[in-house]
Amino acid sequence: MFSTNSRCISQVTNLQKLMGFFGASKNNFATEVTLDVKPFKLHRLETGPVTSVSLSKEEALKYYTQMQTIRRIETAAGNLYKEKIIRGFCHLYSGQEACAVGMKAVMRPDDSIISAYRVHGWSYLMDISPVGVLAELTGRKSGAARGKGGSMHLYSKNFYGGNGIVGAQVPLGAGIALAAKYKGNDGVCFTLYGDGAANQGQVFEAYNMSKLWDIPAIFVCENNGYGMGTSAERAAASAQYYTRGDYIPGIWVDGMDVLAVKSAAEFAIEHCKAGKGPIVLETATYRYSGHSMSDPGTSYRTRDEIQEVRQTRDPITSFKEKIINAGLVTPDELKKLDGDVKSEVDKAAKIAKSDAETGSDDLAGDIYVVNLEPKIRGVHPWSTIQHKRIGPALNAS
């Protein structure tokens, strides 16, 4: 588990006990550790990401809080959907938290991300508050887009949203990366798609253009095992998605380990910065819920399978055990964090249920950044709806 050998681990444990005898807590002892991650699989690469990752106490608490907050947001969203307060589509990210948190851990100010519609967690990571996320899902004016976008259309700075057309975000992500290269700001674009979208023709067209122009695009296949109700093995002649770029290098990474994803994402950024063009990451992960809230998720897989993953590979539980065993944090510290996160998300859910809906007079707000004519084109000729400038999206932290 750890990069240090068993003898060193034993020495650390004995020293912790000794310090505890003299009144020093385990929490005060370890401020940084080095942990091993599962080996990566490489395609067209001689070297890959580091498998020994340094982790500070501050980072451990941050990643744990982020993953736990995403899990709580998704649980709240699921409950709101069951209460019929969230209507339409709702795709949950529970089980995949380590993928988003690991990538966000190494993103720089000029880096961008675009994804499909399973993005409530990414919205939170990209500075939209839990209130902004949940109120958007319920169509209330406290939402990030004043309730007009809903679950599948969330955006913020450098976050180009969840996109509802399967695979369509991949060429858009290539375009965002091309813009970064054009502007010369050293930025990259993490372009996320699922295994269900991996066979789309537009994915391979984006690969081709990105490699032709050596665009700083990081294509990330979040392989959660199932595209809607079909397993990856049944849907793809080759389920080794990290090799599907052919002439583009690729890396397989354990997507249930936040530190492994962080290491792979950091390597990918350096690859792009070196002018080597695009790279493909496959994060092997798992979704606990069905494809969407309308899918029970148990007709094409067993409950035992889901339970086994929860018990043996859960990204939050596994990380919690690692950082406690490493002496970075205490169970009491994490218990307090759990309570704080639950309280924050519970309050956000209450606002999402009680807040007023956006008024009809605001529906035409902010269609254009610079409006050249007040009347909205393409509506009924008797319509009196006028364009109005309201301002930037709300509830960004």
Side-chain angles (χ1 to χ4, degrees):
M1 179 183 295
F2 307 130
S3 64
T4 50
N5 58 34
S6 58
R7 179 181 176 186
C8 290
I9 292 174
S10 177
Q11 291 173 342
V12 168
T13 302
N14 291 336
L15 186 53
Q16 287 172 337
K17 291 178 180 178
L18 182 62
M19 292 187 73
F21 179 79
F22 286 106
S25 70
K26 183 178 182 180
N27 182 45
N28 291 330
F29 170 66
T31 57
E32 185 169 327
V33 296
T34 302
L35 303 176
D36 279 353
V37 300
K38 188 178 291 187
F40 302 95
K41 299 176 185 177
L42 306 180
H43 171 69
R44 288 186 175 271
L45 288 168
E46 293 183 2
T47 60
V50 296
T51 55
S52 296
V53 182
S54 296
L55 180 69
S56 69
K57 177 185 175 73
E58 181 182 3
E59 290 170 332
L61 293 173
K62 179 180 179 181
Y63 304 157
Y64 180 82
T65 301
Q66 289 176 330
M67 289 194 290
Q68 193 69 280
T69 303
I70 293 172
R71 181 71 60 88
R72 285 285 182 184
I73 287 174
E74 296 297 53
T75 300
N79 291 335
L80 290 168
Y81 188 94
K82 291 171 185 175
E83 295 176 47
K84 297 185 178 180
I85 299 173
I86 293 177
R87 310 305 291 262
F89 296 101
C90 184
H91 303 78
L92 304 184
Y93 203 64
S94 302
Q96 300 183 215
E97 296 88 353
C99 298
V101 173
M103 283 180 262
K104 182 62 172 70
V106 295
M107 287 179 66
R108 303 158 301 161
D110 288 320
D111 293 333
S112 303
I113 177 260
I114 188 170
S115 185
Y117 34 73
R118 204 179 301 277
V119 288
H120 307 157
W122 267 110
S123 303
Y124 157 71
L125 292 177
M126 297 302 288
D127 295 329
I128 298 177
S129 70
V131 171
V133 175
L134 292 175
E136 186 62 31
L137 303 191
T138 59
R140 310 303 171 107
K141 63 181 183 181
S142 291
R146 292 178 286 278
K148 297 191 290 183
S151 174
M152 299 173 73
H153 305 97
L154 288 153
Y155 306 88
S156 67
K157 183 179 180 181
N158 288 349
F159 171 43
Y160 290 83
N163 293 264
I165 300 175
V166 176
Q169 73 275 15
V170 181
L172 293 177
I176 295 166
L178 175 61
K181 181 174 183 177
Y182 183 82
K183 291 187 289 187
N185 62 14
D186 202 33
V188 304
C189 181
F190 286 89
T191 302
L192 280 56
Y193 56 98
D195 52 284
N199 298 315
Q200 285 275 321
Q202 57 194 326
V203 173
F204 298 95
E205 293 171 11
Y207 285 170
N208 181 58
M209 296 177 73
S210 296
K211 185 55 187 171
L212 275 173
W213 300 335
D214 278 337
I215 292 171
I218 301 173
F219 297 105
V220 184
C221 178
E222 293 184 294
N223 180 7
N224 61 26
Y226 298 92
M228 294 192 72
T230 305
S231 67
E233 288 72 20
R234 291 180 59 214
S238 169
Q240 294 181 313
Y241 297 102
Y242 70 102
T243 69
R244 299 279 291 274
D246 186 15
Y247 37 79
I248 298 177
I251 303 171
W252 178 96
V253 52
D254 179 5
M256 302 299 267
D257 184 344
V258 64
L259 298 182
V261 178
K262 176 187 177 184
S263 180
E266 191 169 34
F267 180 92
I269 288 176
E270 292 302 318
H271 177 91
C272 291
K273 283 176 60 180
K276 298 178 181 178
I279 190 168
V280 176
L281 303 183
E282 176 189 348
T283 57
T285 184
Y286 197 83
R287 58 170 165 83
Y288 293 151
S289 303
H291 171 71
S292 71
M293 285 299 297
S294 61
D295 168 23
T298 53
S299 59
Y300 47 86
R301 57 182 181 174
T302 65
R303 287 184 172 85
D304 288 342
E305 175 185 314
I306 301 169
Q307 192 62 26
E308 181 184 1
V309 176
R310 282 184 176 275
Q311 292 175 349
T312 61
R313 297 172 53 208
D314 182 80
I316 300 175
T317 303
S318 299
F319 187 66
K320 178 179 181 179
E321 291 174 354
K322 281 185 179 182
I323 59 179
I324 289 176
N325 292 338
L328 279 177
V329 299
T330 66
D332 286 343
E333 284 180 293
L334 297 187
K335 184 177 181 180
K336 182 182 182 303
L337 273 179
D338 291 343
D340 292 343
V341 169
K342 182 179 184 301
S343 177
E344 180 184 15
V345 176
D346 285 349
K347 289 178 183 177
K350 288 181 180 178
I351 294 172
K353 293 169 74 171
S354 61
D355 194 30
E357 295 181 357
T358 297
S360 59
D361 58 326
D362 286 349
L363 292 180
D366 298 322
I367 294 177
Y368 309 103
V369 174
V370 178
N371 185 46
L372 300 180
E373 52 187 17
K375 185 173 176 57
I376 307 301
R377 288 182 288 174
V379 298
H380 194 282
W382 298 331
S383 171
T384 59
I385 295 177
Q386 300 286 309
H387 180 271
K388 61 190 296 187
R389 181 72 174 135
I390 300 172
L394 308 176
N395 277 304
S397 58

